[in-house]
Amino acid sequence: MTDRTVRCERCERPYPADLPGCPSCRRIRQTNIAIATTMILLVLFAIGGWFGIQVLTGFSTGATP
């Protein structure tokens, strides 16, 4: 009995045909999603921190009253 494998269209790596997709490409997509989510959260935290500082300092513009 032969082991049935297929080649990935993207990376040309062979993988078992019973898997839903290429494990290598799936792992890369998962990593990219994790990186994108982290970047979005960092931006949101930076904006939230900036807004929090503005609230705590009373939205001071640096001008003399």
Side-chain angles (χ1 to χ4, degrees), residues 12-60:
E12 296 294 326
R13 290 185 182 187
Y15 64 93
D18 59 342
L19 293 178
C22 176
S24 176
C25 291
R26 188 170 51 243
R27 175 61 66 190
I28 291 170
R29 282 193 300 271
Q30 289 173 346
T31 302
N32 288 345
I33 290 169
I35 291 171
T37 302
T38 303
M39 294 299 292
I40 290 169
L41 287 174
L42 283 173
V43 168
L44 290 176
F45 286 146
I47 291 171
W50 176 83
F51 188 72
I53 297 264
Q54 298 304 312
V55 168
L56 289 175
T57 59
F59 288 98
S60 64

